[in-house]
Amino acid sequence: DGGITQSPKYLFRKEGQNVTLSCEQNLNHDAMYWYRQDPGQGLRLIYYSQIVNDFQKGDIAEGYSVSREKKESFPLTVTSAQKNPTAFYLCASSIPSPSNQPQHFGDGTRLSIL
Amino acid sequence: AQTVTQSQPEMSVQEAETVTLSCTYDTSESDYYLFWYKQPPSRQMILVIRQEAYKQQNATENRFSVNFQKAAKSFSLKISDSQLGDAAMYFCAYRNPEETSGSRLTFGEGTQLTVNP
């Protein structure tokens, strides 16, 4: 079955540490996205990529970095510059615009501070 | 920038009854897409229904339907014959079709729906 795989499901970060969240898709989608979800809030866009080797900042990119070296993969690094990283992170992919096709989501990674 | 507002943080409904979740949005575009996603306790994001702004007919998917009022920029979700499995957080989302925006979604804050047996 095609889908999006996020790993790990739970992740803990120590002070001053960078951590990387994995996102892999086998849907052959060109576009991929990272969202952050805080309790009681909707999803906020961190970064997105429409094509390999290209990505753009979303609304809350500070303290995060991404790469898109392969179509299937879009890892997110939470750097030590992100002072409040505790949140639920969702990766998504889609056929790029213009299209009425929805974004497909992974199961998410919950990141906490040790 | 587009904004999406869900004014009901929480709603409840009796099993088998009907409930309507509200969503309004702000945009200067004439062509765009709207979505409702469901997030159960498992935290998966599941597409419920979608609407193209250029279509006047309201979308329906089984027990789920929308009331799309383009002039009022309103996109409410109606759930008929509510079931216990409908209990979840529901998010309204807007997408601008411009290619430069990368088909990014803008989400509302969500409405937590409780279904009472």
Side-chain angles (χ1 to χ4, degrees), chain A residues 38-106:
Chain A
D38 292 285
Q41 295 191 31
L43 280 65
R44 293 184 290 168
L45 183 66
I46 305 172
Y47 269 98
Y48 64 100
S49 168
Q50 293 178 268
I51 198 168
V52 175
N53 293 323
D54 186 50
F55 49 83
Q56 286 79 39
K57 293 181 180 180
D59 299 322
I60 55 166
E62 185 174 351
Y64 301 96
S65 66
V66 294
S67 62
R68 186 84 188 278
E69 298 176 2
K70 298 187 300 181
K71 186 176 185 177
E72 301 80 17
S73 179
F74 191 42
L76 173 74
T77 296
V78 184
T79 74
S80 57
Q82 173 49 248
K83 298 306 179 187
N84 184 23
T86 298
F88 187 65
Y89 292 85
L90 282 159
C91 178
S93 71
S94 74
I95 298 171
S97 175
S99 170
N100 68 346
Q101 296 303 305
Q103 290 184 9
H104 298 259
F105 288 82

Side-chain angles (χ1 to χ4, degrees), chain B residues 24-89:
Chain B
T24 58
Y25 56 93
D26 185 26
T27 183
S28 58
E29 302 294 332
S30 60
D31 190 21
Y32 48 86
Y33 305 105
L34 296 164
F35 303 83
W36 278 98
Y37 280 89
K38 166 185 176 181
Q39 188 180 44
S42 66
R43 306 299 294 269
Q44 277 187 305
M45 291 290 284
I46 302 166
L47 177 69
V48 175
I49 200 165
R50 76 187 88 171
Q51 175 81 42
E52 292 88 348
Y54 61 84
K55 290 187 177 178
Q56 293 187 336
Q57 187 173 6
N58 289 326
T60 62
E61 288 286 344
N62 300 313
R63 297 183 295 106
F64 298 87
S65 61
V66 300
N67 183 4
F68 174 50
Q69 309 256 340
K70 191 173 184 179
K73 297 180 183 175
S74 171
F75 182 59
S76 60
L77 174 69
K78 186 171 83 171
I79 306 174
S80 304
D81 186 26
S82 296
Q83 300 175 359
L84 295 177
D86 294 334
M89 181 73 87

Side-chain angles (χ1 to χ4, degrees), chain A residues 12-19 77-85 113-114:
Chain A
F12 298 91
R13 195 191 89 170
K14 295 180 182 178
E15 290 288 339
Q17 185 183 43
N18 293 353
V19 292
T77 296
V78 184
T79 74
S80 57
Q82 173 49 248
K83 298 306 179 187
N84 184 23
I113 292 291
L114 279 178

